[in-house]
Amino acid sequence: MPEKNSLRGVSVVIPTINRAAVLVETVRDMLNQQFDDYEILIVDQSDEINAEVLDLIKQIDQPRIRYFKANFKGLPQARNFGWRHAAKDVVLYIDDDIRTGTDLVRSHFESHVKTGADMVAGGIDEAGDKPSHLPTGSFNWWTATPIANFCATTASWCIHGKGCNFSVRRSALDTVGGLDEVLSIGAALYEESELALRLYKAGKRTWFEPSARLLHLAAPMGGCRVTKDWPKYMFGLAHNRSILIFRHLKPWHQPTALLRLLMLGLSYSRLDLSLRPLLATLRGLVAGRHAAAMLPLNAELDAIECTSC
């Protein structure tokens, strides 16, 4: 692992799917960063190639952006592909629908250098967010629930980051094997939390840095959307949450976490006016328990690097 004072640059990885308009604004913000040693890797799983982003690439004197048209689908898959093709020592993951100032990349890099953290969770502003009394980036082991509060303004050690704004040392990703692509089911819930828990178990540390801040737009089009097909949604949620429960929780935490999961299934059954969400929860729980016993999936995936395609 590189020493904390010898880290070499930042690779900004932007997974995207069917968000052409907002992606362009995100890329423009990332091109305006006041930091020299960084690159931008766009992993595009959209139906069509983003011609406007390709035009931006042509206008840049130095090859700071690399654009990949993916032959696969899945958020963890896109994150892993970006990490595998990153040239720098810190991998910064952001969403394709963010706006930020000029210091995002610098703040992430300097936080790694100053704290020696393996993961840095950045500050996030979203519509309706208000800071709470809960510790930022904590984890409720009794219910298997990641606690966010990333709109907070006080830096601290934490356990996990949120998918639209977190960075990891490439060496730490190498150590734990990247993200588990099995968690791409549904809206890819908890995929970044599961990675953070594996880092935590491996003795890696995570720092919350509120100055590494962005605005998350939560654009309504494209992306990994939360569906209103409640049985489908609950299958994905139960599958992924069961991986957290059976892979990372102590035996004495599991009963209450499973009870909480079943209560969620009941709540959505009331909303759906049927037993289908609860039955889907049970099916997801069984499938997730099986997946939890397996090694994290990190497949070799294919994409075309484009400059004018």
Side-chain angles (χ1 to χ4, degrees):
M1 176 189 295
E3 295 297 327
K4 71 177 183 178
N5 60 352
S6 65
L7 290 175
R8 186 172 57 89
V10 178
S11 294
V12 182
V13 176
I14 310 176
T16 185
I17 182 166
N18 296 331
R19 279 179 171 164
V22 291
L23 172 64
V24 170
E25 296 307 312
T26 295
V27 172
R28 290 185 191 279
D29 282 358
M30 298 316 298
L31 287 172
N32 288 328
Q33 295 298 297
Q34 293 184 353
F35 189 74
D36 292 329
D37 192 9
Y38 78 104
E39 62 174 354
I40 301 168
L41 286 75
I42 300 169
V43 186
D44 196 345
Q45 303 170 88
S46 304
D47 300 325
E48 303 291 338
I49 287 172
N50 193 317
E52 194 169 350
V53 169
L54 289 180
D55 287 341
L56 270 179
I57 294 173
K58 293 176 189 177
Q59 296 167 19
I60 299 170
D61 292 334
Q62 54 184 343
R64 190 179 295 282
I65 304 180
R66 300 175 69 191
Y67 178 101
F68 296 90
K69 182 65 176 69
N71 297 319
F72 55 84
K73 289 282 199 292
L75 184 54
Q77 286 87 337
R79 295 198 200 277
N80 280 340
F81 183 90
W83 151 54
R84 288 189 175 280
H85 289 79
K88 307 300 183 180
D89 287 337
V90 173
V91 180
L92 168 57
Y93 292 110
I94 62 171
D95 277 3
D96 56 4
D97 58 341
I98 65 97
R99 300 305 307 269
T100 188
T102 59
D103 291 326
L104 179 69
V105 175
R106 180 188 299 278
S107 294
H108 271 277
F109 183 80
E110 290 182 350
S111 294
H112 280 278
V113 171
K114 290 177 181 178
T115 67
D118 294 279
M119 174 185 279
V120 171
I124 302 167
D125 295 313
E126 293 180 297
D129 268 0
K130 292 182 180 179
S132 74
H133 66 284
L134 298 172
T136 301
S138 56
F139 189 83
N140 187 326
W141 300 98
W142 293 103
T143 61
T145 305
I147 308 300
N149 197 31
F150 293 112
C151 60
T153 57
T154 302
S156 63
W157 291 104
C158 60
I159 292 179
H160 70 97
K162 191 170 180 179
C164 64
N165 186 16
F166 74 99
S167 60
V168 192
R169 294 189 187 216
R170 192 154 51 92
S171 58
L173 288 166
D174 288 334
T175 297
V176 301
L179 290 100
D180 189 351
E181 293 166 13
V182 170
L183 283 98
S184 63
I185 289 176
L189 297 170
Y190 311 123
E191 46 100 22
E192 73 271 42
S193 301
E194 197 282 325
L195 168 66
L197 291 176
R198 268 187 288 125
L199 289 167
Y200 181 76
K201 287 173 69 174
K204 310 299 182 182
R205 303 186 74 193
T206 298
W207 176 257
F208 169 59
E209 181 51 60
S211 68
R213 202 167 197 90
L214 55 75
L215 171 66
H216 184 214
L217 302 176
M221 76 292 282
C224 293
R225 308 314 303 160
V226 174
T227 175
K228 289 189 178 181
D229 179 343
W230 300 127
K232 181 179 179 180
Y233 172 71
M234 282 308 302
F235 178 85
L237 184 151
H239 174 275
N240 291 2
R241 195 154 174 156
S242 294
I243 292 176
L244 299 188
I245 292 170
F246 292 109
R247 185 179 284 170
H248 297 294
L249 267 59
K250 301 294 186 184
W252 50 88
H253 290 138
Q254 292 179 6
T256 54
L258 289 169
L259 179 60
R260 173 60 178 160
L261 178 56
L262 292 174
M263 289 174 64
L264 282 172
L266 280 170
S267 296
Y268 277 94
S269 276
R270 293 193 193 99
L271 182 64
D272 195 59
L273 300 178
S274 78
L275 287 175
R276 293 185 305 138
L278 179 59
L279 295 174
T281 300
L282 294 171
R283 291 196 302 273
L285 192 161
V286 172
R289 182 169 189 173
H290 174 74
M294 312 295 285
L295 291 173
L297 175 63
N298 186 344
E300 293 286 349
L301 300 168
D302 186 37
I304 300 170
E305 185 168 2
C306 299
T307 54
S308 60
C309 58

